[in-house]
Every structure is written in C-alpha cells, then in structure tokens.
Amino acid sequence: MRADEGQPDGPQYPGSGRGSWTWSRTAETRRVILDAARDVFAEVGFADASVARVVEKAGSSVGSLYHHFGGKAELFLALYEEWQGSQEHRAASAVAQARHEGETRPLALFITGARAFLAGSWEGRGLADLFLEKDGPPGFELMRRTRAHAWLRQNSLLLEVDDDPIGRVTVAVLTTIIGEASREIVTSTTRDDADRITDAAVAMIERLGVFDTA
C-alpha cells in the first residue's frame, strides 16, 4: 500500500480538512472572475462585454463562470451588491466608531457616515461610475431603487426624524445631496476635487440640518 493511498488530493493545512480547502479554492475562483468582470465592464460597459472576454481575462472557463454566477447579468449584479455592501459597511463602521468615541448628535453621525461613503466613492470610482449609467441588465434599475429606499430608511433612523411629511422630505433631500455628490466624485480627476465636493456637500447638509436639536 502506497503511503499516499487513500489520502485526499491537494494541499492540506494544519487544522483544516478537505472541505475548507475546497471552499478556499471556490472563493478564489469567484474572486478572480469578479475582478476580471469588473475590469471588462469598466472598460466596455455591460452591453458590449462578453462572457468570453471575461473568462479570457480571468484565465478561467465559460463553464466555471456559469457554475459560480449563472451568466453576465448575474456577474454585474454581484459586483453591484459587493460595491454597495462595501459602501454601507464603510459608512456604518465610521458611525459606530464615532459613537464609540462619544458622539451622540444625529446630524454629526449622519455627516460622519456621509464622509465615509463619499471617500469610498472616490476610491471605487472606476466601478462606481459604471453603476451610475443606465447600461445594465434587466432588473438592475429595480435593484437600484430598492437599495435607494433602504438607504432612506436607514438615514431616517440615524437622523431620528419624525415619520411625517417634513421629516421624510428632509431625509430625502439630505440623502440626495450625498447621492449627487457621489456622482460628481466618481467622475472627478483628482482627489482634491473629490475632497472639495465632499466639503461642499457636508456644508449643505449642515445648513439644511436645522432639525438637529441634540
């Protein structure tokens, strides 16, 4: 009997079994395909991108792409979900840190989250710019609207405004300022321009945030 007979194929690590290795390889494959899709979509847009071009860039196969994602549309939506998730995490982490440091004023916390969100818009501008265009798969507009509504609800809770017409309009206006500032930032050519846009947006929010009585 050979020494390696009956042993699982592939590298083994201390404290890990074959299952964890398989998961690691799966995650790595997904990451490589997503990164390739991000580059291709950013370069030519969704409509002109092809599965063949993505897998060529990823050094993968069409079968692997369809196995992990289902197709070009699902790849685009997965990238959008990933980007939105990273933006939400960035803003939430900044707010949590501010609270930990003793900040309790709703408007100050909102501005902290806004600054973090806009910083992420600059850092991820290559991909973010793609999501601002109307070039996307079926269902993308609905997903974007659903995310926008969820963002409004989160901001309402953060700002602690009353659930009445004035409160809803105030939250919508402040959230729109962040959204429009983000649009401008992702098309900026320098970090200085992005910072100026952020500062201008924050100044507008501060002027409009007269409800902050904390």
Side-chain angles (χ1 to χ4, degrees):
M1 181 178 183
R2 302 195 321 270
D4 62 346
E5 187 172 338
Q7 297 299 314
D9 296 331
Q12 299 294 302
Y13 299 99
S16 68
R18 183 175 184 136
S20 61
W21 169 247
T22 301
W23 180 89
S24 176
R25 288 298 301 273
T26 298
E28 180 184 356
T29 299
R30 285 177 59 87
R31 181 73 267 155
V32 169
I33 294 174
L34 276 174
D35 289 345
R38 178 196 62 209
D39 293 344
V40 172
F41 288 142
E43 181 182 351
V44 301
F46 174 78
D48 291 334
S50 67
V51 166
R53 187 165 182 172
V54 172
V55 297
E56 179 183 9
K57 189 171 187 64
S60 186
S61 67
V62 172
S64 181
L65 184 150
Y66 279 102
H67 171 72
H68 288 288
F69 294 100
K72 185 175 79 167
E74 290 81 0
L75 262 177
F76 186 94
L77 297 179
L79 283 169
Y80 177 72
E81 286 286 354
E82 183 177 72
W83 182 75
Q84 284 290 340
S86 69
Q87 285 288 78
E88 291 168 7
H89 176 74
R90 178 189 289 269
S93 296
V95 170
Q97 180 62 31
R99 281 181 169 146
H100 178 72
E101 294 171 357
E103 182 60 75
T104 60
R105 295 170 298 159
L107 187 61
L109 292 171
F110 180 81
I111 289 172
T112 296
R115 284 192 176 277
F117 183 93
L118 294 176
S121 296
W122 167 255
E123 293 176 13
R125 60 194 179 281
L127 188 58
D129 188 40
L130 174 66
F131 301 136
L132 296 177
E133 303 297 328
K134 294 189 179 298
D135 179 26
F140 178 54
E141 281 302 312
L142 176 60
M143 176 182 287
R144 192 155 55 177
R145 287 196 301 271
T146 300
R147 282 280 192 172
H149 289 314
W151 191 17
L152 283 171
R153 288 194 299 270
Q154 291 166 0
N155 288 341
S156 294
L157 294 173
L158 181 60
L159 287 164
E160 300 179 5
V161 299
D162 293 332
D163 186 17
D164 59 20
I166 299 301
R168 289 193 291 272
V169 168
T170 301
V171 173
V173 169
L174 298 185
T175 301
T176 298
I177 290 173
I178 301 173
E180 291 305 311
S182 178
R183 286 176 177 272
E184 293 298 323
I185 285 172
V186 300
T187 58
S188 297
T189 56
T190 69
R191 181 61 184 262
D192 285 344
D193 286 344
D195 288 343
R196 282 194 290 271
I197 293 167
T198 297
D199 290 341
V202 168
M204 293 178 201
I205 291 169
E206 288 175 333
R207 286 197 295 271
L208 293 170
V210 294
F211 59 87
D212 188 17
T213 59

